[in-house]
Amino acid sequence: MVVSTGERPEADSADSPAGWVMRKLPHVTALFWVLKIVATTLGETGGDLLAQTLHVGYLVATLIFLGLFVVAVTVQLRARRFHPAVFWTVIALTSTAGTTLSDLMNRTGGIGYTGGAIVLSSALAVVFVVWWRSGQTLDVENVATFKGEVLYWIAILISNSLGTSSGDFLADSVGLGFRDSAMLLSAIMLALLGCHYFTRINGMALFWIAFVLTRPLGATVGDFLSKPRSHGGLEWGTMWTTAALLAALVVLVAFQTWQIRRHPLEPIPAPVHRRTGEPQRPNGAVVSAG
């Protein structure tokens, strides 16, 4: 797991005519992970609300959420700096779309939770290979090109879909249930945090492992809150659980927005190709090096 200090990166902007670029993506801090878990839990219950409770079905719900995702991510890609409300809207929509897409594959498509996890893991591996070969930075805090940000959002959409399959696999196929699955995943997250501080394991590898695992954590917590007691849940229902999580997300996003207004994010050096060092066109607002 990666936790950032939020300090300005050590780099010489004089080598680039563009100077510095405003961040499009947030620092990976404790608040980031809290927001991610709330957003992914909301994605689980929101996806179930539309597909199951409102009887829209997995296919139609997936098409609706993917359409909303395309609109939101277009706004995000066109933005010139980080906007918490836009960013977390996209994250929440990748979670809802990931929930219904995973269920469409695993249940309607009949490939099962194990098959779904294998397919989505393979797809995520392909995205990372393409990302690596593209020459874009793999540092998720310092992505500053259009191509890099597109790869970032594709990886997030697939990872959230994979997280849904993984959570269902643990809770149903393995038989741990919602509560025990959530406890196991929480323990793994704590272990990843320890690895970040006390080992030399690559920080980006820890980030993506943690990012994938927060999705099944959110899924199992969402199911635990919303499912009936006969299935091991608290029987809040998808509607009330979704409403509560949406309210929590709005409050947290408002807090992050207030926080950033008080302490604006520092810009990052203008992007260069990871292997050749050639300057690349930045996707954020360019600022002077001063």
Side-chain angles (χ1 to χ4, degrees):
M1 185 186 301
V2 178
V3 178
S4 169
T5 61
E7 295 177 354
R8 190 176 189 133
E10 298 282 341
D12 184 4
S13 63
D15 295 334
S16 171
W20 296 80
V21 181
M22 295 302 299
R23 292 181 184 273
K24 296 283 300 293
L25 307 175
H27 290 302
V28 182
T29 61
L31 178 60
F32 174 92
W33 291 112
V34 172
L35 276 158
K36 170 62 166 62
I37 292 171
V38 172
T40 52
T41 307
L42 172 62
E44 177 69 18
T45 60
D48 288 345
L49 173 63
L50 186 62
Q52 297 178 19
T53 306
L54 300 180
H55 307 293
V56 171
Y58 294 126
L59 177 58
V60 175
T62 298
L63 293 175
I64 291 173
F65 287 131
L66 284 176
L68 293 172
F69 164 73
V70 169
V71 173
V73 81
T74 299
V75 175
Q76 166 67 28
L77 290 170
R78 291 175 63 86
R80 305 300 289 164
R81 64 187 67 211
F82 174 60
H83 298 285
V86 175
F87 178 87
W88 291 108
T89 295
V90 182
I91 292 288
L93 287 170
T94 63
S95 299
T96 49
T99 295
T100 55
L101 176 61
S102 176
D103 289 341
L104 177 66
M105 293 172 53
N106 302 342
R107 299 176 184 177
T108 306
I111 66 175
Y113 300 135
T114 303
I118 292 173
V119 169
L120 291 166
S121 295
S122 300
L124 187 59
V126 169
V127 173
F128 285 141
V129 169
V130 172
W131 195 341
W132 173 261
R133 292 179 62 85
S134 72
Q136 305 299 308
T137 180
L138 298 177
D139 185 345
V140 294
E141 289 189 340
N142 294 324
V143 171
T145 65
F146 181 83
K147 182 186 293 186
E149 195 175 353
V150 167
L151 289 167
Y152 173 87
W153 287 114
I154 293 173
I156 285 180
L157 179 61
I158 296 175
S159 69
N160 278 333
S161 303
L162 171 60
T164 299
S165 292
S166 303
D168 289 337
F169 174 77
L170 286 174
D172 295 333
S173 299
V174 177
L176 290 179
F178 304 130
R179 184 186 63 183
D180 290 347
S181 295
M183 292 177 64
L184 173 62
L185 291 165
S186 297
I188 295 174
M189 292 290 290
L190 289 174
L192 291 173
L193 183 62
C195 289
H196 169 67
Y197 284 111
F198 302 112
T199 73
R200 296 180 179 272
I201 298 176
N202 181 270
M204 288 302 99
L206 291 175
F207 170 85
W208 284 108
I209 293 171
F211 199 95
V212 170
L213 289 180
T214 53
R215 183 64 188 93
L217 176 59
T220 52
V221 170
D223 284 338
F224 177 65
L225 294 173
S226 62
K227 297 298 183 183
R229 297 183 188 277
S230 59
H231 288 72
L234 294 181
E235 208 168 352
W236 286 12
T238 55
M239 186 172 296
W240 287 110
T241 304
T242 299
L245 290 167
L246 179 60
L249 184 63
V250 168
V251 170
L252 288 169
V253 169
F255 173 74
Q256 186 177 53
T257 302
W258 171 80
Q259 190 179 57
I260 289 174
R261 285 178 179 173
R262 291 189 62 199
H263 305 287
L265 297 180
E266 292 284 356
I268 55 179
V272 296
H273 194 280
R274 195 185 67 251
R275 294 195 301 271
T276 67
E278 290 293 320
Q280 294 183 306
R281 182 179 179 181
N283 198 35
V286 176
V287 296
S288 65

